[in-house]
Amino acid sequence: MLACAAALPVRGESSTPALKIVVAGGHPGDPECGCAGTIARYSDLGHNVVLLYLNRGEGFCGGASLGRCAAIRTAEAGKACQILKARAAFAGQYDGRAIVDAPRYEAFDRVLAAESPDVVFTQWPIDSHRDHRAVSMLTLDAWLKSGKRFALYYYEVAEDTMMFSPGEYVDISSVESRRRAACYAHASQQPDKWYPKQVEITRSRGAESGFPQAEAFLRHPESKRALLP
Ligand SMILES: [Zn+2]
Protein backbone atom coordinates (compact mmCIF):
# COMPACT_ATOMS: atom_id res chain seq x y z
CA MET A 1 0.00 0.00 0.00
CA LEU A 2 1.19 3.48 -0.77
CA ALA A 3 0.60 6.21 1.80
CA CYS A 4 1.38 9.28 -0.21
CA ALA A 5 -0.32 12.04 1.76
CA ALA A 6 2.76 13.33 3.50
CA ALA A 7 5.10 13.37 0.53
CA LEU A 8 3.30 15.67 -1.86
CA PRO A 9 4.08 19.35 -2.33
CA VAL A 10 1.86 22.04 -0.88
CA ARG A 11 0.50 24.61 -3.29
CA GLY A 12 1.93 28.02 -2.48
CA GLU A 13 5.23 26.51 -1.47
CA SER A 14 5.79 25.33 -5.02
CA SER A 15 4.71 26.26 -8.51
CA THR A 16 1.86 23.71 -8.48
CA PRO A 17 -1.04 25.22 -10.46
CA ALA A 18 -4.58 25.14 -9.12
CA LEU A 19 -6.30 21.91 -10.02
CA LYS A 20 -9.95 21.31 -10.89
CA ILE A 21 -11.28 18.50 -8.75
CA VAL A 22 -14.71 16.91 -9.28
CA VAL A 23 -16.20 14.60 -6.66
CA ALA A 24 -19.17 12.74 -8.17
CA GLY A 25 -21.82 11.12 -6.00
CA GLY A 26 -25.16 9.40 -6.36
CA HIS A 27 -26.89 11.75 -3.91
CA PRO A 28 -26.35 14.99 -2.04
CA GLY A 29 -24.21 13.90 0.91
CA ASP A 30 -22.27 11.07 -0.74
CA PRO A 31 -19.21 13.13 -1.77
CA GLU A 32 -19.23 14.68 1.69
CA CYS A 33 -19.53 11.33 3.47
CA GLY A 34 -16.65 9.77 1.56
CA CYS A 35 -14.39 12.70 0.80
CA ALA A 36 -15.20 15.81 2.88
CA GLY A 37 -11.82 15.83 4.59
CA THR A 38 -9.97 15.52 1.31
CA ILE A 39 -12.19 18.18 -0.27
CA ALA A 40 -11.46 20.59 2.60
CA ARG A 41 -7.74 19.99 2.26
CA TYR A 42 -7.84 20.53 -1.51
CA SER A 43 -9.75 23.79 -1.21
CA ASP A 44 -7.51 25.02 1.60
CA LEU A 45 -4.58 24.54 -0.79
CA GLY A 46 -6.27 26.78 -3.38
CA HIS A 47 -7.61 24.08 -5.68
CA ASN A 48 -11.12 24.32 -7.18
CA VAL A 49 -13.49 21.59 -6.08
CA VAL A 50 -16.92 20.77 -7.54
CA LEU A 51 -19.32 18.34 -5.89
CA LEU A 52 -21.30 16.79 -8.73
CA TYR A 53 -24.50 15.13 -7.55
CA LEU A 54 -26.37 12.74 -9.86
CA ASN A 55 -29.72 14.03 -8.54
CA ARG A 56 -31.17 16.44 -5.98
CA GLY A 57 -32.25 13.80 -3.47
CA GLU A 58 -35.90 13.81 -4.55
CA GLY A 59 -36.55 10.41 -2.95
CA PHE A 60 -36.06 11.06 0.76
CA CYS A 61 -35.82 14.03 3.09
CA GLY A 62 -36.86 12.76 6.50
CA GLY A 63 -40.36 13.74 7.55
CA ALA A 64 -40.97 16.37 4.89
CA SER A 65 -43.21 15.65 1.90
CA LEU A 66 -41.47 14.27 -1.17
CA GLY A 67 -42.44 17.33 -3.18
CA ARG A 68 -40.16 19.44 -1.01
CA CYS A 69 -37.15 17.11 -1.00
CA ALA A 70 -35.30 18.49 -4.02
CA ALA A 71 -35.39 22.02 -2.60
CA ILE A 72 -34.45 20.92 0.91
CA ARG A 73 -31.57 18.77 -0.21
CA THR A 74 -30.28 21.27 -2.76
CA ALA A 75 -30.08 23.77 0.09
CA GLU A 76 -28.28 21.23 2.29
CA ALA A 77 -25.77 20.57 -0.48
CA GLY A 78 -25.20 24.30 -0.84
CA LYS A 79 -24.51 24.60 2.87
CA ALA A 80 -22.09 21.67 2.81
CA CYS A 81 -20.26 23.14 -0.17
CA GLN A 82 -19.98 26.47 1.61
CA ILE A 83 -18.34 24.73 4.58
CA LEU A 84 -15.92 22.96 2.26
CA LYS A 85 -15.31 26.01 0.01
CA ALA A 86 -16.54 23.97 -2.94
CA ARG A 87 -19.25 24.41 -5.59
CA ALA A 88 -22.33 22.23 -6.10
CA ALA A 89 -23.37 20.92 -9.52
CA PHE A 90 -26.23 18.60 -10.45
CA ALA A 91 -26.44 16.04 -13.26
CA GLY A 92 -30.22 16.11 -13.61
CA GLN A 93 -31.27 12.55 -12.76
CA TYR A 94 -33.94 11.50 -10.21
CA ASP A 95 -33.13 10.01 -6.81
CA GLY A 96 -33.68 6.25 -6.69
CA ARG A 97 -34.42 6.01 -10.41
CA ALA A 98 -30.95 6.34 -11.91
CA ILE A 99 -30.82 5.46 -15.57
CA VAL A 100 -27.69 4.28 -17.34
CA ASP A 101 -28.26 4.25 -21.08
CA ALA A 102 -26.81 5.93 -24.15
CA PRO A 103 -28.53 9.33 -23.72
CA ARG A 104 -27.58 9.48 -20.00
CA TYR A 105 -23.98 8.50 -20.74
CA GLU A 106 -23.84 11.40 -23.18
CA ALA A 107 -25.56 13.83 -20.82
CA PHE A 108 -23.26 12.98 -17.92
CA ASP A 109 -20.21 13.20 -20.16
CA ARG A 110 -21.27 16.70 -21.23
CA VAL A 111 -21.64 17.83 -17.60
CA LEU A 112 -18.29 16.40 -16.59
CA ALA A 113 -16.43 17.59 -19.68
CA ALA A 114 -17.73 21.12 -19.08
CA GLU A 115 -15.85 21.12 -15.78
CA SER A 116 -12.60 20.12 -17.51
CA PRO A 117 -11.40 18.23 -14.44
CA ASP A 118 -7.84 17.25 -13.61
CA VAL A 119 -8.97 14.73 -11.00
CA VAL A 120 -12.33 12.96 -10.55
CA PHE A 121 -13.40 10.97 -7.52
CA THR A 122 -16.44 8.75 -7.94
CA GLN A 123 -18.30 6.03 -6.07
CA TRP A 124 -17.18 2.42 -6.06
CA PRO A 125 -19.06 0.30 -8.61
CA ILE A 126 -19.80 -2.40 -6.01
CA ASP A 127 -21.96 -0.28 -3.71
CA SER A 128 -25.30 -1.46 -2.42
CA HIS A 129 -27.21 1.57 -3.75
CA ARG A 130 -28.17 1.55 -7.42
CA ASP A 131 -27.59 5.31 -7.76
CA HIS A 132 -24.01 4.88 -6.50
CA ARG A 133 -23.35 2.15 -9.03
CA ALA A 134 -24.91 4.32 -11.73
CA VAL A 135 -22.74 7.37 -11.06
CA SER A 136 -19.71 5.09 -11.02
CA MET A 137 -20.54 3.68 -14.46
CA LEU A 138 -21.35 7.11 -15.88
CA THR A 139 -18.05 8.49 -14.61
CA LEU A 140 -16.04 5.57 -15.92
CA ASP A 141 -17.62 5.96 -19.33
CA ALA A 142 -16.84 9.68 -19.43
CA TRP A 143 -13.25 8.94 -18.40
CA LEU A 144 -12.84 6.41 -21.21
CA LYS A 145 -14.45 8.78 -23.70
CA SER A 146 -12.02 11.53 -22.63
CA GLY A 147 -9.08 9.30 -23.47
CA LYS A 148 -8.34 8.91 -19.72
CA ARG A 149 -7.48 12.60 -19.66
CA PHE A 150 -8.15 13.11 -15.94
CA ALA A 151 -7.03 11.07 -12.95
CA LEU A 152 -9.78 8.72 -11.73
CA TYR A 153 -10.15 7.66 -8.11
CA TYR A 154 -12.83 5.71 -6.23
CA TYR A 155 -14.08 6.43 -2.71
CA GLU A 156 -16.03 4.52 -0.07
CA VAL A 157 -19.13 5.43 1.95
CA ALA A 158 -20.44 3.98 5.18
CA GLU A 159 -22.49 0.78 4.97
CA ASP A 160 -22.80 0.88 1.18
CA THR A 161 -19.35 0.05 -0.15
CA MET A 162 -18.34 -3.59 -0.51
CA MET A 163 -15.05 -5.27 -1.47
CA PHE A 164 -13.02 -2.04 -1.39
CA SER A 165 -9.24 -2.25 -1.09
CA PRO A 166 -7.78 1.26 -1.18
CA GLY A 167 -4.21 2.09 -2.04
CA GLU A 168 -3.82 5.80 -1.28
CA TYR A 169 -4.61 7.79 1.83
CA VAL A 170 -5.21 11.41 2.77
CA ASP A 171 -4.68 12.59 6.35
CA ILE A 172 -7.91 14.35 7.37
CA SER A 173 -7.12 14.79 11.06
CA SER A 174 -6.68 18.57 10.81
CA VAL A 175 -10.05 19.11 9.10
CA GLU A 176 -12.20 16.69 11.09
CA SER A 177 -14.52 19.39 12.46
CA ARG A 178 -15.29 20.77 8.96
CA ARG A 179 -15.77 17.30 7.61
CA ARG A 180 -18.29 16.63 10.36
CA ALA A 181 -20.07 19.93 9.77
CA ALA A 182 -20.33 19.25 6.02
CA CYS A 183 -21.90 15.84 6.70
CA TYR A 184 -24.28 17.27 9.31
CA ALA A 185 -25.35 19.95 6.81
CA HIS A 186 -27.40 17.07 5.36
CA ALA A 187 -29.71 17.14 8.35
CA SER A 188 -32.62 15.54 6.47
CA GLN A 189 -30.46 12.46 5.96
CA GLN A 190 -30.22 11.84 9.70
CA PRO A 191 -26.41 11.86 9.86
CA ASP A 192 -26.41 10.33 13.34
CA LYS A 193 -27.31 7.10 11.57
CA TRP A 194 -24.28 7.01 9.25
CA TYR A 195 -21.66 9.52 10.31
CA PRO A 196 -20.34 7.44 13.24
CA LYS A 197 -19.91 4.49 10.89
CA GLN A 198 -17.89 6.66 8.51
CA VAL A 199 -15.70 7.81 11.41
CA GLU A 200 -15.03 4.15 12.21
CA ILE A 201 -13.91 3.73 8.61
CA THR A 202 -11.60 6.76 8.62
CA ARG A 203 -10.09 5.72 11.97
CA SER A 204 -9.43 2.29 10.52
CA ARG A 205 -7.93 3.82 7.36
CA GLY A 206 -5.84 6.04 9.59
CA ALA A 207 -4.51 3.00 11.42
CA GLU A 208 -3.49 1.55 8.06
CA SER A 209 -1.65 4.70 6.99
CA GLY A 210 -0.22 6.15 10.20
CA PHE A 211 -2.65 9.05 10.71
CA PRO A 212 -5.32 9.57 13.39
CA GLN A 213 -7.97 9.66 10.64
CA ALA A 214 -7.61 9.18 6.91
CA GLU A 215 -9.82 8.94 3.85
CA ALA A 216 -8.73 6.18 1.51
CA PHE A 217 -9.00 5.88 -2.23
CA LEU A 218 -8.41 3.44 -5.02
CA ARG A 219 -6.90 4.82 -8.21
CA HIS A 220 -8.07 3.15 -11.39
CA PRO A 221 -5.04 1.09 -12.39
CA GLU A 222 -4.95 2.71 -15.83
CA SER A 223 -5.32 6.26 -14.48
CA LYS A 224 -2.56 8.80 -14.21
CA ARG A 225 -1.59 9.72 -10.66
CA ALA A 226 -3.12 12.81 -9.11
CA LEU A 227 -1.75 15.27 -6.64
CA LEU A 228 -3.61 14.23 -3.51
CA PRO A 229 -3.61 16.78 -0.68
ZN1 LIG B 1 -26.08 7.83 -1.64
Coordinates of all heavy atoms in Angstrom, one line a residue, residues 9-13 18-19 21 35-49 81-86 170-179 229:
P9 N 3.8 17.9 -2.6 CA 4.1 19.3 -2.3 C 2.8 20.1 -2.0 O 1.7 19.7 -2.4 CB 4.6 19.8 -3.7 CG 4.1 18.8 -4.7 CD 4.0 17.5 -4.0
V10 N 3.0 21.2 -1.3 CA 1.9 22.0 -0.9 C 1.8 23.2 -1.8 O 2.8 23.9 -2.1 CB 2.0 22.5 0.6 CG1 0.9 23.5 0.9 CG2 2.0 21.4 1.5
R11 N 0.6 23.5 -2.4 CA 0.5 24.6 -3.3 C 0.8 25.9 -2.5 O 0.3 26.1 -1.4 CB -0.9 24.6 -3.9 CG -1.0 25.7 -4.9 CD -2.3 25.5 -5.7 NE -2.3 26.6 -6.8 CZ -2.9 27.7 -6.6 NH1 -3.5 28.0 -5.5 NH2 -2.8 28.6 -7.5
G12 N 1.5 26.8 -3.2 CA 1.9 28.0 -2.5 C 3.4 27.9 -2.1 O 4.1 28.9 -2.1
E13 N 3.8 26.7 -1.8 CA 5.2 26.5 -1.5 C 5.9 26.0 -2.7 O 7.1 25.8 -2.7 CB 5.4 25.5 -0.3 CG 4.9 26.0 1.0 CD 4.9 24.9 2.1 OE1 5.3 23.8 1.8 OE2 4.5 25.2 3.2
A18 N -3.3 25.6 -9.7 CA -4.6 25.1 -9.1 C -5.2 24.0 -10.0 O -5.2 24.1 -11.2 CB -5.5 26.3 -9.0
L19 N -5.7 23.0 -9.3 CA -6.3 21.9 -10.0 C -7.8 22.1 -10.0 O -8.4 22.7 -9.1 CB -5.9 20.6 -9.3 CG -4.5 20.2 -9.3 CD1 -4.2 19.0 -8.4 CD2 -3.9 19.9 -10.7
I21 N -10.9 19.8 -9.3 CA -11.3 18.5 -8.7 C -12.8 18.3 -8.8 O -13.5 19.2 -8.4 CB -10.9 18.4 -7.2 CG1 -9.5 19.0 -7.0 CG2 -11.0 17.0 -6.7 CD1 -8.3 18.3 -7.5
C35 N -15.6 11.9 1.2 CA -14.4 12.7 0.8 C -14.3 14.1 1.4 O -13.5 14.9 1.0 CB -14.4 12.9 -0.7 SG -14.6 11.5 -1.7
A36 N -15.2 14.4 2.4 CA -15.2 15.8 2.9 C -13.9 16.3 3.4 O -13.5 17.4 3.2 CB -16.3 16.0 4.0
G37 N -13.1 15.4 4.1 CA -11.8 15.8 4.6 C -10.8 16.2 3.5 O -10.1 17.2 3.5
T38 N -10.8 15.3 2.5 CA -10.0 15.5 1.3 C -10.4 16.8 0.5 O -9.5 17.6 0.1 CB -10.0 14.3 0.4 OG1 -9.6 13.1 1.2 CG2 -9.1 14.4 -0.8
I39 N -11.7 17.0 0.4 CA -12.2 18.2 -0.3 C -11.7 19.4 0.5 O -11.2 20.4 -0.1 CB -13.7 18.1 -0.4 CG1 -14.2 17.0 -1.3 CG2 -14.3 19.5 -0.8 CD1 -15.7 16.6 -1.2
A40 N -11.9 19.4 1.8 CA -11.5 20.6 2.6 C -10.0 20.9 2.4 O -9.5 22.0 2.3 CB -11.8 20.4 4.1
R41 N -9.2 19.8 2.4 CA -7.7 20.0 2.3 C -7.4 20.5 0.9 O -6.6 21.4 0.7 CB -7.0 18.7 2.6 CG -7.1 18.3 4.1 CD -6.0 17.5 4.6 NE -4.7 18.1 4.2 CZ -3.6 17.4 4.0 NH1 -3.6 16.1 4.1 NH2 -2.5 18.0 3.6
Y42 N -8.1 20.0 -0.2 CA -7.8 20.5 -1.5 C -8.2 22.0 -1.6 O -7.4 22.8 -2.1 CB -8.7 19.8 -2.5 CG -8.1 18.6 -3.2 CD1 -8.7 17.4 -3.3 CD2 -6.9 18.7 -3.9 CE1 -8.2 16.3 -3.9 CE2 -6.3 17.6 -4.6 CZ -7.0 16.4 -4.6 OH -6.4 15.4 -5.3
S43 N -9.4 22.4 -1.1 CA -9.8 23.8 -1.2 C -8.9 24.7 -0.4 O -8.6 25.8 -0.8 CB -11.2 24.0 -1.0 OG -11.7 23.3 0.1
D44 N -8.4 24.2 0.8 CA -7.5 25.0 1.6 C -6.2 25.3 0.9 O -5.5 26.3 1.1 CB -7.2 24.3 2.9 CG -8.4 24.4 3.9 OD1 -9.4 25.2 3.6 OD2 -8.4 23.8 5.0
L45 N -5.8 24.4 0.0 CA -4.6 24.5 -0.8 C -4.8 25.4 -2.0 O -3.8 25.6 -2.8 CB -4.0 23.2 -1.2 CG -3.5 22.3 -0.1 CD1 -3.3 20.9 -0.5 CD2 -2.2 22.9 0.5
G46 N -6.0 25.9 -2.3 CA -6.3 26.8 -3.4 C -6.8 26.1 -4.6 O -6.9 26.7 -5.7
H47 N -7.1 24.8 -4.5 CA -7.6 24.1 -5.7 C -9.1 24.3 -5.8 O -9.8 24.7 -4.8 CB -7.3 22.6 -5.6 CG -5.8 22.3 -5.5 ND1 -4.9 22.7 -6.5 CD2 -5.0 21.8 -4.6 CE1 -3.7 22.3 -6.2 NE2 -3.7 21.8 -5.0
N48 N -9.7 24.1 -6.9 CA -11.1 24.3 -7.2 C -11.9 23.0 -7.2 O -11.6 22.1 -8.0 CB -11.3 25.0 -8.5 CG -10.6 26.3 -8.6 OD1 -10.7 27.2 -7.7 ND2 -9.7 26.5 -9.6
V49 N -12.8 22.9 -6.2 CA -13.5 21.6 -6.1 C -15.0 21.7 -6.4 O -15.6 22.7 -5.9 CB -13.3 21.0 -4.6 CG1 -13.9 19.6 -4.6 CG2 -11.9 21.1 -4.2
C81 N -21.3 22.6 0.7 CA -20.3 23.1 -0.2 C -19.7 24.4 0.4 O -18.5 24.7 0.2 CB -20.8 23.4 -1.6 SG -21.1 21.8 -2.5
Q82 N -20.5 25.2 1.0 CA -20.0 26.5 1.6 C -19.0 26.1 2.7 O -17.9 26.7 2.8 CB -21.2 27.2 2.2 CG -20.8 28.7 2.5 CD -22.1 29.4 2.9 OE1 -23.1 28.8 3.4 NE2 -22.1 30.7 2.8
I83 N -19.3 25.2 3.5 CA -18.3 24.7 4.6 C -17.0 24.2 4.0 O -15.9 24.5 4.5 CB -19.0 23.6 5.4 CG1 -20.2 24.2 6.2 CG2 -18.0 23.0 6.4 CD1 -21.1 23.2 6.8
L84 N -17.1 23.6 2.9 CA -15.9 23.0 2.3 C -15.3 23.9 1.2 O -14.3 23.5 0.6 CB -16.3 21.6 1.6 CG -16.9 20.6 2.5 CD1 -17.4 19.4 1.8 CD2 -15.8 20.1 3.5
K85 N -15.8 25.1 1.0 CA -15.3 26.0 0.0 C -15.3 25.3 -1.4 O -14.3 25.4 -2.1 CB -13.9 26.5 0.4 CG -14.0 27.4 1.6 CD -12.6 28.1 1.9 CE -11.7 27.2 2.6 NZ -10.4 27.8 3.0
A86 N -16.4 24.7 -1.7 CA -16.5 24.0 -2.9 C -17.8 24.5 -3.6 O -18.5 25.3 -3.1 CB -16.7 22.5 -2.7
V170 N -5.3 10.0 2.5 CA -5.2 11.4 2.8 C -5.5 11.6 4.3 O -6.5 11.2 4.8 CB -6.2 12.2 1.9 CG1 -6.2 13.7 2.4 CG2 -5.9 12.1 0.4
D171 N -4.5 12.3 4.9 CA -4.7 12.6 6.3 C -5.7 13.7 6.5 O -5.6 14.8 6.0 CB -3.3 13.1 6.9 CG -3.3 13.5 8.3 OD1 -4.4 13.3 9.0 OD2 -2.3 14.1 8.8
I172 N -6.8 13.4 7.2 CA -7.9 14.3 7.4 C -8.0 14.8 8.8 O -9.0 15.5 9.2 CB -9.3 13.8 6.9 CG1 -9.7 12.6 7.7 CG2 -9.2 13.5 5.4 CD1 -11.2 12.3 7.6
S173 N -7.0 14.5 9.6 CA -7.1 14.8 11.1 C -7.3 16.3 11.3 O -8.1 16.7 12.2 CB -5.9 14.3 11.8 OG -5.5 13.0 11.3
S174 N -6.7 17.1 10.5 CA -6.7 18.6 10.8 C -8.0 19.2 10.4 O -8.3 20.4 10.7 CB -5.5 19.3 10.1 OG -5.7 19.2 8.7
V175 N -8.8 18.5 9.6 CA -10.1 19.1 9.1 C -11.3 18.3 9.6 O -12.4 18.4 9.0 CB -10.0 19.2 7.6 CG1 -9.0 20.3 7.1 CG2 -9.8 17.9 6.9
E176 N -11.1 17.6 10.6 CA -12.2 16.7 11.1 C -13.5 17.5 11.4 O -14.6 17.1 11.1 CB -11.7 15.9 12.3 CG -12.8 15.2 13.1 CD -13.7 14.2 12.3 OE1 -13.2 13.7 11.3 OE2 -14.8 14.0 12.7
S177 N -13.3 18.7 12.0 CA -14.5 19.4 12.5 C -15.3 19.9 11.2 O -16.5 19.9 11.2 CB -14.2 20.6 13.4 OG -13.3 21.5 12.7
R178 N -14.6 20.3 10.2 CA -15.3 20.8 9.0 C -15.9 19.6 8.2 O -17.0 19.7 7.6 CB -14.3 21.5 8.1 CG -14.3 23.0 8.5 CD -13.1 23.7 7.8 NE -13.3 23.8 6.4 CZ -12.3 23.9 5.5 NH1 -11.0 23.9 6.0 NH2 -12.5 24.0 4.2
R179 N -15.2 18.5 8.2 CA -15.8 17.3 7.6 C -17.1 16.9 8.3 O -18.1 16.6 7.6 CB -14.7 16.2 7.7 CG -15.2 14.8 7.3 CD -15.0 13.8 8.4 NE -15.1 12.5 7.9 CZ -14.8 11.4 8.6 NH1 -14.3 11.6 9.9 NH2 -15.0 10.2 8.2
P229 N -4.0 15.8 -1.7 CA -3.6 16.8 -0.7 C -2.9 16.1 0.5 O -3.1 14.9 0.7 CB -4.9 17.4 -0.3 CG -6.0 16.4 -0.5 CD -5.5 15.6 -1.7

